[in-house]
């Protein structure tokens, strides 16, 4: 007996992968069929399903706003009716008016359906008021049942006092004296909370102090950086220039021995030397002070260079014998001038370094205050965290007792709620019942958050999610009343303005045909009513009423009301479809454009590559080995790199070649014909697998090379040709970048650009329309694959040899 091996882990992984792969598909399909906006809904599946998105894409209805626009174009003899004759325009005008009247009649019928259903629902609520109240109370009883906990033996008084501190009505508790738990509560929780409050107050004071200190610190830090910048950008360059002067003096002294000219006037050497040596004493002091600062390394290096040259000059000066010569007098003059000029710079540098010393002292002083304060804040925060942990442990200790007592309070409050609602009469007192349902939702949600039992928690959540139906019903009836009031004025205005447009419209056409285009005031008002009044006054309340009807159907789940609510929802949806202004699109045109472009590119590419690959497979010629590889290397560069060249070529060619160039499908097809090399390489590899003997036999029988290629090689290569057609078609059909650059006219868009427009502009939040468009766009690719799959599956040498 063979024992089957159970691969549990493999199955689990496959299930997870399947879910991850299928979820986006399920979301796309469900979103394309739903009426509510999937982007803002928590439900993956909805009971408000419709095929309207597909109808709007495939066969858009000429609804009210489109009719108004068409009537306006006819009256003004504007595009697309500017070329029509008056007889033809009048014929179109009558058809539009009749269709408009039908829409008004349909709208009134739908409104009557809504009125009837609302009235029936009101009667149902009135006749079954007690039943509905009992159903509401039944949900409350379910909550009460779920809140039945075993009474704990400890910490009841402590938990009761904690509830008292949190504003709970502990007077509803029987047999528990919350005052007895005050001392233990203070020991476990209260004293720690007081300590936490004190620590937080101290932290706040310290943070204020630190903030003030850090503000001063930043001011001094700014002064420090500004002083440092002055030294580095102004004084150090000056000192470097003075270094060159000192080098010059040294060179003059070195050259003095060779001079034959004697000086008639020599400066006082002792005075010059005294100034010189005093100056370098100041420079040495500067150097000592600058070494205290790491940021003054460059200054220290400059002063160090001074010291080096100074030592060389003093050594040479002491041993110099020709002090009566003129160059020595020049040397003394140079040294004297150097000492005089550098004195100012040295003094200024000394002042700035003293300023840095003072600023640094202030910074260190502030830092000495800031760091301990921050350390204290950190210590206090650690104590707060520790106290919070102790409080959490204390709450864990009393949690069972607290949940029990809270449940007792909630149950008493729920019992009171039952008493308040049991005599209510619906639908007149729905508002009172709504307030009570909100109270039930609030107090129950509060205790649900404290529960640790997952099963009980989920059960309570399901109950409280359905208990808010009184509020939904109240909103539905309220919005219906407002909708009805606004609807009546809307439909009356439509009838009034339409009757006048029907009479006046044809009278304006002859003048418009002659170039005098005047729009009747009745047409302006009709347009404003359809496009503005409906959207402002009718839609908001009607849509809320419709959505609330759908939600009420889900919440109540009563067969007697379910059909009424769904019919009401459907009627409101249909009214909205008649009068809603929908953006214009050219979905089928875009798909057709993509099919034309993709099919043309696929056929041309396959034909060219099939021919081009044959010589590389069957013939021997110079460059055969590296020719196809060179083409592949060239094709490795993305098409966007040479887009500028293609764009310029199409712009130039479009001026001279009719039907070709930018914004033309032919120009786009030309731009896509760049994938030759890769496909040629694939086909060449497939040709290599076809036996040469088949062609040789045909050649012996008298066939030409062309005949062997057409009748033998191509039929046998049909699988790879089918693959090339499919891959090229799919790649071209979905391409976006090149098409977006070349095509500008919306009617010339391909499917990829068209689909992009459904995520921007007027379609931006219409996810249903977007997903429906995505699914419709799959049809050409799926169809092509199904048509070509028999060629892919076909055998390699099917029919090559017959026995």
């Amino acid at each position: 007996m063979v024992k089957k091996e159970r691969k549990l882990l493999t199955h689990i992984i496959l299930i997870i992968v399947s879910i991850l792969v299928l979820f986006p598909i399920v979301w796309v399909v469900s979103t394309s069929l739903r009426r509510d906006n999937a982007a803002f809904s928590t439900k993956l599946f909805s009971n408000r399903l419709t095929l309207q998105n597909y109808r709007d894409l495939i066969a858009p209805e000429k609804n009210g706003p489109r009719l108004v626009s068409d009537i306006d174009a006819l009256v003004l003899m504007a595009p697309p009716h500017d070329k029509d004759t008056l007889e033809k325009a009048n014929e179109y005008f009558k058809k539009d008016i009749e269709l408009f009247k039908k829409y008004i009649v349909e709208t009134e019928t739908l409104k009557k359906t809504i009125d009837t259903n609302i009235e029936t629902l009101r009667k149902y609520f009135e006749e079954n008021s007690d039943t509905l109240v009992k159903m509401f109370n039944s949900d409350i009883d379910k909550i009460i049942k779920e809140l039945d906990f075993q009474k704990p033996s400890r910490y009841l008084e402590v938990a009761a006092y904690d509830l008292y501190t949190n504003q709970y009505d502990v007077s509803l508790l029987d047999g528990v004296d919350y005052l007895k738990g005050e001392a233990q509560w203070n020991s476990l929780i209260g004293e720690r909370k007081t300590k936490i409050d004190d620590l937080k107050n101290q932290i706040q004071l310290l943070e204020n102090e630190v903030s003030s200190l850090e503000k001063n610190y930043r001011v001094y830090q700014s002064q420090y950086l500004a002083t440092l910048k002055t030294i580095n950008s102004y004084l150090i360059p000056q000192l470097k220039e003075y270094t060159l002067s000192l080098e010059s003096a040294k060179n003059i002294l070195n050259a003095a021995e060779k001079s034959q000219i004697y000086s008639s006037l020599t400066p006082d050497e002792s005075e010059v030397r005294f100034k010189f040596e005093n100056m370098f004493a100041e420079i040495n002091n500067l150097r000592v002070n600058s070494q205290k600062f790491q940021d003054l390394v460059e200054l220290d290096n400059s002063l160090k260079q001074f010291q080096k040259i100074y030592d060389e000059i003093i050594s040479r000066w002491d041993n110099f014998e020709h002090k009566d010569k003129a160059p020595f007098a020049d040397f003394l003059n140079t040294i004297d001038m150097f000492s005089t000029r550098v004195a100012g710079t040295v003094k200024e540098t000394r002042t700035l370094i003293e300023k840095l010393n003072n600023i640094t002292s202030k910074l260190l002083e502030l830092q000495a205050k800031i760091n301990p304060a921050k350390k204290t804040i950190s210590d206090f925060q650690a104590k707060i965290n520790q106290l919070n942990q102790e409080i959490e442990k204390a709450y864990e200790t009393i949690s069972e007792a607290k949940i029990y007592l809270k449940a007792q309070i909630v149950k008493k409050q729920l019992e009171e709620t039952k008493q308040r609602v049991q005599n209510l009469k619906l639908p007149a007192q729905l508002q009172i019942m709504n307030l009570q349902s909100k109270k039930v939702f609030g107090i129950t949600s509060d205790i649900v958050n404290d529960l640790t039992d997952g099963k009980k928690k989920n059960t309570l959540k399901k109950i409280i999610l359905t208990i808010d139906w009184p509020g939904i019903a109240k909103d539905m009836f309220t919005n219906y009343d407002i909708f009805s009031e606004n609807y009546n004025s809307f439909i009356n205005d439509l009838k009034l303005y339409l009757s006048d447009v029907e009479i006046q419209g044809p009278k304006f056409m002859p003048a418009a045909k002659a170039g005098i285009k005047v729009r009747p005031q009745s047409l302006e008002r009709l347009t404003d009513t359809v496009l503005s009044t409906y959207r402002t006054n009718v839609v908001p309340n009607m849509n809320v009423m419709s959505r609330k009807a759908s939600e009420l159907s889900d919440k109540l789940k009563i067969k007697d009301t379910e059909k009424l609510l769904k019919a009401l929802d459907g009627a409101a949806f249909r009214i909205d479809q008649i009068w809603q202004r929908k953006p214009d699109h050219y979905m089928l045109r875009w798909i057709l454009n993509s099919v034309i472009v993709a099919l043309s590119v696929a056929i041309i590419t396959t034909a060219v590559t099939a021919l081009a690959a044959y010589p590389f497979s069957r013939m021997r010629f110079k460059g055969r080995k590296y020719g196809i590889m060179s083409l592949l290397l060239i094709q490795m560069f993305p098409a966007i790199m040479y887009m500028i060249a293609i764009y310029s070529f199409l712009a130039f060619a479009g001026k001279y070649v009719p039907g070709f160039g930018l914004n033309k499908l032919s120009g786009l097809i030309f731009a896509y014909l760049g994938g030759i090399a890769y496909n040629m390489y694939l086909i060449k590899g497939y040709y290599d697998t076809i036996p040469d003997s088949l062609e040789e036999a045909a050649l012996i029988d008298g066939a030409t090379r062309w005949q062997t290629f057409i009748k033998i090689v191509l039929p046998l290569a049909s699988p790879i040709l089918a693959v090339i057609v499919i891959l090229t078609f799919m790649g071209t059909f979905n391409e976006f970048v090149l098409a977006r650059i070349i095509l500008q006219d919306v009617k010339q868009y391909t499917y990829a650009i068209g689909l992009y427009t459904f995520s921007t502009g007027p379609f931006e939040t219409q996810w249903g329309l977007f997903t429906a468009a995505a699914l419709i766009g799959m049809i050409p690719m799926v169809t092509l694959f199904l048509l070509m799959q028999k060629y892919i599956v076909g055998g390699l040498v099917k029919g090559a040899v017959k026995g």
Side-chain angles (χ1 to χ4, degrees), residues 648-658 660-662:
S648 301
F649 173 77
L650 292 177
F652 173 77
K655 298 177 182 178
Y656 303 100
V657 182
F660 186 78
L662 293 176

Side-chain angles (χ1 to χ4, degrees), residues 606-624:
T606 305
V608 172
T609 51
L611 283 169
Y614 185 77
F616 284 97
S617 175
R618 290 292 189 263
M619 300 178 183
R620 301 294 179 267
F621 52 89
K622 192 174 182 180
R624 170 181 172 274

Side-chain angles (χ1 to χ4, degrees), residues 424-636:
L424 294 180
K425 296 300 179 184
L426 305 181
Q429 294 180 305
L430 266 173
Q431 175 60 17
I432 299 174
M433 198 169 184
N434 173 40
L435 295 174
Q436 294 302 316
S437 71
K438 288 182 177 179
K439 179 182 177 181
V440 172
F441 182 87
I443 61 178
T444 308
S445 298
D446 180 53
I447 194 170
V448 164
N449 294 329
D450 295 336
L451 295 179
T452 55
D453 186 343
K455 184 177 180 181
K456 191 178 289 290
K457 201 170 186 176
N458 291 332
T459 303
L460 285 170
K461 281 183 177 180
K462 288 179 181 178
I463 297 171
I464 62 176
L465 283 175
T466 59
I467 208 167
D468 63 339
W469 63 263
I472 296 172
K474 189 266 300 180
D475 290 342
M476 181 187 70
F477 288 126
T478 302
N479 280 279
Y480 163 76
D481 294 335
I482 302 172
F483 156 67
S484 293
E485 183 180 346
N486 293 331
Y487 165 83
N488 291 331
S489 60
F490 164 73
I491 205 72
N492 290 335
D493 287 346
L494 278 184
K495 291 178 181 178
L496 176 65
Y497 299 143
L498 182 65
S499 62
D500 196 70
V501 168
E502 185 178 8
I503 297 170
Q504 298 294 331
K507 297 178 182 178
F508 284 77
M509 291 182 186
K513 191 70 174 176
I516 304 173
K517 300 181 184 294
V518 179
R519 183 180 287 107
Q521 289 191 15
S522 56
L523 181 55
E524 289 183 357
R525 293 182 181 180
L526 180 66
T527 303
D528 184 64
T529 302
V530 173
L531 300 183
S532 180
T533 304
Y534 171 77
R535 186 179 181 86
T536 305
N537 298 338
V538 180
V539 167
N541 300 107
M542 184 183 72
N543 283 349
V544 172
M545 175 198 70
S546 176
R547 189 174 69 256
K548 294 298 180 181
S550 177
E551 291 179 13
L552 190 61
S553 175
D554 289 341
K555 303 278 185 177
L556 288 179
K557 295 181 179 177
I558 300 174
K559 290 184 179 179
D560 294 338
T561 62
E562 191 170 352
K563 289 183 179 178
L564 294 172
L565 291 168
K566 287 186 176 180
L568 186 154
D569 184 26
F573 178 73
R574 177 55 189 158
I575 290 175
D576 194 42
Q577 293 304 308
I578 293 174
W579 302 110
Q580 180 190 114
R581 186 175 186 178
K582 300 181 180 182
D584 293 325
H585 60 81
Y586 305 91
M587 183 65 188
L588 295 180
R589 177 78 174 266
W590 295 337
I591 292 177
L592 180 61
N593 289 343
S594 282
V595 170
I596 292 171
V597 171
L599 202 57
S600 300
V601 172
I603 292 173
I604 294 171
T605 299
T606 305
V608 172
T609 51
L611 283 169
Y614 185 77
F616 284 97
S617 175
R618 290 292 189 263
M619 300 178 183
R620 301 294 179 267
F621 52 89
K622 192 174 182 180
R624 170 181 172 274
K625 184 176 181 181
Y626 299 106
I628 198 168
M629 296 303 296
S630 301
L631 292 174
L632 277 175
L633 288 173
I634 294 172
Q635 193 177 321
M636 286 176 68

